[in-house]
Amino acid sequence: MPRYEYKVVAAPRQGLKAKTARTPDERFANALATLINDIARDGWEYLRTDTLPMEERKGLTGRSVSYKNMLVFRRALDEAQIQTPEVRVTAIPGPAAAVPRLGAPSRGTPEDGTARAPAVGPALARADGRTDARTDGHSDGSADDKKNGAAAP
């Protein structure tokens, strides 16, 4: 199956003067034909024309959407030009048991290829008996501190 590379060029906006082109339509067709022929000399094949939206800045903070006519060209790639991605597979050294497993403790022993998860104990209580997130002994003067009897700083 052949592979292609693509080139997208903005369509001309104005006609191109020629001796045989007298009307604006003929001048525009001449500009389009000249552009397509110039690109075709480099081996590009005309494929299609698309109208695509483009968001543009309008003033300092505004944005507007305009539509642009784009000419799409393609050309077949040679086998030498096709770049196939190189995939490397690297094995992890050592046994699979060296990778720690998280979750509930397993019943196996480290010798059989399983590992035990670390034990997590209860949260430590503060000296005043509270177990909130502030453990530095300072109060921030919030309503919760006043409710719990803590002095404001």
Side-chain angles (χ1 to χ4, degrees):
M1 184 167 136
R3 291 192 181 181
Y4 298 96
E5 64 178 329
Y6 295 88
K7 181 175 188 172
V8 180
V9 179
R13 298 181 68 132
Q14 295 181 349
L16 186 62
K17 290 184 180 180
K19 290 182 182 179
T20 59
R22 294 200 168 111
T23 66
D25 290 340
E26 290 174 345
R27 289 181 179 160
F28 183 75
N30 182 40
L32 196 57
T34 302
L35 177 66
I36 290 173
N37 287 329
D38 287 345
I39 294 174
R41 280 188 204 101
D42 294 331
W44 295 95
E45 171 190 3
Y46 173 75
L47 185 63
R48 66 174 180 263
T49 299
D50 287 331
T51 301
L52 301 170
M54 184 175 99
E55 187 175 287
E56 298 175 310
R57 286 182 55 181
K58 185 176 182 181
L60 292 175
T61 60
R63 297 209 177 266
S64 66
V65 176
S66 63
Y67 293 88
K68 305 292 182 185
N69 293 318
M70 308 302 286
L71 305 175
V72 181
F73 296 86
R74 75 176 181 182
R75 71 177 169 192
L77 292 174
D78 296 334
E79 291 298 322
Q81 291 177 323
I82 297 174
Q83 298 175 354
T84 56
E86 185 178 323
V87 178
R88 292 185 183 185
V89 178
T90 306
I92 299 172
V99 178
R101 296 181 188 178
L102 299 178
S106 64
R107 294 199 165 138
T109 60
E111 293 83 27
D112 70 356
T114 60
R116 295 184 183 272
V120 178
L124 299 175
R126 288 178 36 175
D128 60 1
R130 295 180 15 208
T131 58
D132 61 357
R134 295 204 46 118
T135 58
D136 56 3
H138 295 286
S139 166
D140 61 0
S142 65
D144 290 336
D145 288 334
K146 292 176 184 169
K147 219 183 330 179
N148 293 330

